[in-house]
DNA sequence: ATTACCCTCGCTATTTCTGGGGAGTGGAAA
DNA sequence: TTTCCACTCCCCAGAAATAGCGAGGGTAAT
């Protein structure tokens, strides 16, 4: 039924492109090459800002943002817990909000079938590359069978380009945490009290406090919990 | 100079395999197919436990663990901040510990050239798929040119298999957080004080405390900071 | 209809954290 | 050589979080 399209020109275009506008153009080309309804790349950074590119109707994108669907969308929620590609049929659509979201999406030009490839970035970014189409389950299986590998590769390219863009957009002025600061925050993240951390690091609690404060300052955090949350979501510490 | 090998049997084998032992076997097959020295898959979970598979000598693996090279290895450190493939030449080898590590690695059968593809998992896992070889820069560039795409795809398969293994190994008994608990932890992670969070959620501070406590309990956390760190690194809340 | 979980509110005492000071050493970079 | 930064130690007062108790209404599933 399907015949596999040659995607190498798309890959080359993707290689040569730059910025979100370029990715937008590639999305459209890819959609046409694959003969499906939509290709969407959606990106959420650690600050909760989202942007992306793709072929969804403007109306729907605006609606998605306005209604804060990010917090509802079961594809986002589901993918956030995984790291392999997810078919939309496989995510949890139970729950009132999710079903309402689905209805709204279908009413706004989104196809009923979807295949999303998630990626997590080093600073808490989260991106989703999605192929979307309106068709039967059988057709969709066939599509995935044929293009599954290519989609993974293309998603990878999108991520790379988007990250380059992100790095240019917001060059991180974060000064790295010192080793002791990392130690301190790490132990705190593990649930130790200041007294326990100080003991574990064999330093006085006062000294420990200096580290915590300086880490808080460097991270621009309002309090210790905030500092740890920031450090964690930016990959500066690991639990 | 190189001629591209047909990797489809490897992909099929990879598809059919199961568990770490299977991946180990595939690694060896892949190494042979690619005519390079080593293929290694290395996995670190949120608890800091590491395991993996590949063709590195046993001695070196043991040494890596014993000497806690995980915290020193510039490839790990570098990849942790990125999300696209990284050539070993591109990571930061300045610093005494890093140089000593390199010397030790080369002495233990590790090739001088490497290409590593990082992936972050939903629960703070971090995995690295690495191709390693001993050759000149020119040869290595050629290798990457030819097999770069395939490596990305294969890395993806490894990740998928490893995650399946991980999920079987440690089935998550976590009960989901309730919406209010998510709200509470999210605001706390953003640095708000309890009073501010209570006000933002339009509930009394006492009620808020109940949420925090029950979230703490569900997450098996020692204190609020711990709960937030766990929730964040398990992807239960987003900043 | 019972069970279970979610949401909401209350009190008190104790422990812990935060913010404001100041001071000295050593190492690495400019 | 100077300058910056990481690392270490100290005091105190006020603010915030924690532990322990208890209570009632709503909704959804069994």
């Amino acid at each position: 039924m399907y015949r596999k399209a040659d995607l190498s020109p798309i890959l080359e275009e993707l290689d040569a492109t730059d910025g979100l506008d370029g990715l937008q153009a590639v999305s459209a080309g890819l959609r046409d090459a694959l003969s499906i309804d939509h290709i969407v790349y959606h990106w959420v950074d650690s600050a909760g800002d989202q942007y992306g590119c793709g072929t969804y109707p403007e109306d729907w994108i605006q609606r998605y943002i306005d209604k804060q669907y990010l917090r509802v969308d079961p594809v986002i929620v589901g993918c956030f817990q995984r790291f392999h590609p997810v078919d939309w049929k496989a995510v949890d659509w139970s729950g009132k909000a999710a079903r309402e979201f689905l209805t709204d999406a279908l009413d706004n030009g989104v196809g009923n079938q979807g295949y999303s490839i998630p990626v997590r970035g080093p600073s808490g970014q989260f991106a989703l590359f999605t192929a979307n189409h309106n068709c039967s389950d059988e057709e969709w299986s066939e599509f995935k069978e044929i293009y599954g590998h290519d989609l993974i590769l293309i998603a990878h390219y999108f991520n790379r380009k988007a990250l380059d863009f992100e790095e240019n957009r917001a060059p991180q002025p974060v000064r790295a945490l010192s080793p002791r600061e990392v130690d301190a925050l790490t132990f705190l993240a593990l649930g130790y009290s200041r007294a326990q951390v100080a003991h574990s690091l064999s330093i006085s609690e006062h000294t420990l406090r200096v580290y915590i404060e300086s880490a808080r300052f460097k991270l621009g955090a309002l309090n210790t919990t905030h500092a740890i949350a920031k450090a964690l979501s930016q990959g500066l510490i690991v639990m």
Side-chain angles (χ1 to χ4, degrees), chain A residues 58-227:
Chain A
E58 261 309 318
D59 290 354
W60 171 239
I61 294 170
Q62 201 52 52
R63 195 173 175 80
Y64 193 98
I65 295 167
D66 290 345
K67 295 215 155 193
Q68 299 203 294
Y69 274 151
L70 185 67
R71 306 256 172 200
V72 177
D73 188 346
V75 178
I76 297 277
V77 176
C79 284
F80 208 81
Q81 310 277 4
R82 290 179 176 68
F83 78 14
H84 38 236
V86 170
D87 189 282
W88 289 9
K89 297 282 181 204
V91 307
D92 179 21
W93 293 99
S94 70
K96 204 174 128 200
R99 282 191 303 270
E100 284 175 5
F101 166 74
L102 180 59
T103 308
D104 200 12
L106 295 178
D107 286 346
N108 280 276
V110 177
N112 63 329
Q113 303 286 356
Y115 188 64
S116 295
I117 301 169
V119 175
R120 255 159 301 278
S123 308
Q125 304 97 331
F126 176 72
L128 213 52
F129 176 80
T130 296
N132 176 267
H133 195 44
N134 202 331
C135 66
S136 69
D137 288 1
E138 292 72 32
E139 277 183 82
W140 191 241
S141 293
E142 204 174 338
F143 172 79
K144 286 191 294 179
E145 182 72 29
I146 296 175
Y147 288 115
H149 285 182
D150 298 306
L151 289 175
I152 289 169
L153 201 55
I154 291 167
H156 199 92
Y157 268 88
F158 267 72
N159 287 320
R160 206 185 296 195
K161 291 294 175 182
L163 191 66
D164 289 345
F165 172 73
E166 164 90 350
E167 279 176 350
N168 291 334
R169 191 186 67 116
Q172 298 261 24
V174 278
R175 212 177 347 154
L177 298 175
S178 79
R180 280 315 226 184
E181 286 158 0
V182 172
D183 292 341
L185 294 191
T186 302
F187 277 111
L188 288 175
L190 292 171
Y192 295 161
S193 70
R194 295 209 305 205
Q196 288 174 309
V197 176
H199 183 251
S200 300
L201 296 177
S202 305
I203 55 176
S204 79
E205 204 177 322
H206 305 282
T207 304
L208 173 68
R209 237 184 48 197
V210 175
Y211 296 145
I212 300 172
E213 271 168 34
S214 98
R216 247 200 334 255
F217 177 75
K218 284 182 183 172
L219 294 168
L222 297 166
N223 53 44
T224 303
T225 301
H226 193 199

